[in-house]
Amino acid sequence: MAELKTKQTEASVEEYLDTIEDPRRRADCAALSALMKKVTKCEPRMWGPSIVGFGSVHYKYASGREGDMGLTGFSPRKANLTLYITDGFDKYGDLLARLGKHKTSVSCLYINKLADVDQDVLRELVRRSVEHMRATNP
């Protein structure tokens, strides 16, 4: 079986965020880091070369594949900020309707900048997701 690329590393989150050239994107990442740290009560850690993650959860699929992943996190991609809402979005329609400008995929929330979304709604989305993941993956 191939080794997972996205695993927790010892790399410095602060040093990684300092490499972000765009000042607005860097400020948005600092704000996201503070928000997620407050919600999860976990220190930020690098997961792979470009994901800032908070906490961890062990998963096991019916196929037998298992591993660890962050409870939540984000990555400052070129096109947008990608936030990882690990349990998906099926039960968060009420929050997504109030969030603001965004796109989603299975477990990724894409926003261009924090100013495009209601940060109180974003905080609640992260809180509910983390709470659910902790309850279902002890």
Side-chain angles (χ1 to χ4, degrees):
M1 184 182 296
E3 185 177 343
L4 293 174
K5 293 179 189 173
T6 308
K7 59 184 177 181
Q8 200 172 101
T9 72
E10 295 300 319
S12 167
V13 171
E14 188 174 304
E15 287 177 17
Y16 171 68
L17 295 179
D18 284 345
T19 67
I20 300 170
E21 292 180 18
D22 181 88
R24 186 194 72 209
R25 178 64 53 97
R26 194 169 46 251
D28 281 356
C29 287
L32 274 175
S33 185
L35 181 151
M36 290 182 172
K37 180 178 177 179
K38 185 174 183 176
V39 169
T40 63
K41 296 178 179 37
C42 296
E43 291 296 321
R45 300 289 305 267
M46 291 302 301
W47 285 76
S50 61
I51 296 173
V52 178
F54 298 80
S56 67
V57 64
H58 188 78
Y59 63 87
K60 185 171 183 177
Y61 296 127
S63 67
R65 180 178 170 156
E66 61 184 295
D68 297 299
M69 64 182 175
L71 280 171
T72 193
F74 68 91
S75 184
R77 306 287 185 202
K78 264 190 192 230
N80 48 44
L81 291 168
T82 303
L83 286 72
Y84 300 99
I85 306 299
T86 50
D87 65 328
F89 299 99
D90 292 343
K91 57 189 156 295
Y92 302 124
D94 61 320
L95 293 172
L96 293 175
R98 300 187 342 251
L99 182 60
K101 187 177 175 183
H102 71 279
K103 293 180 184 177
T104 62
S105 64
V106 176
S107 62
C108 295
L109 175 70
Y110 305 101
I111 60 176
N112 292 326
K113 57 186 182 289
L114 276 182
D116 289 343
V117 298
D118 183 319
Q119 290 185 43
D120 290 332
V121 174
L122 180 61
R123 185 177 302 104
E124 180 64 12
L125 177 63
V126 171
R127 186 194 68 73
R128 284 192 202 174
S129 173
V130 166
E131 188 175 87
H132 173 79
M133 292 301 292
R134 284 181 170 151
T136 58
N137 298 281

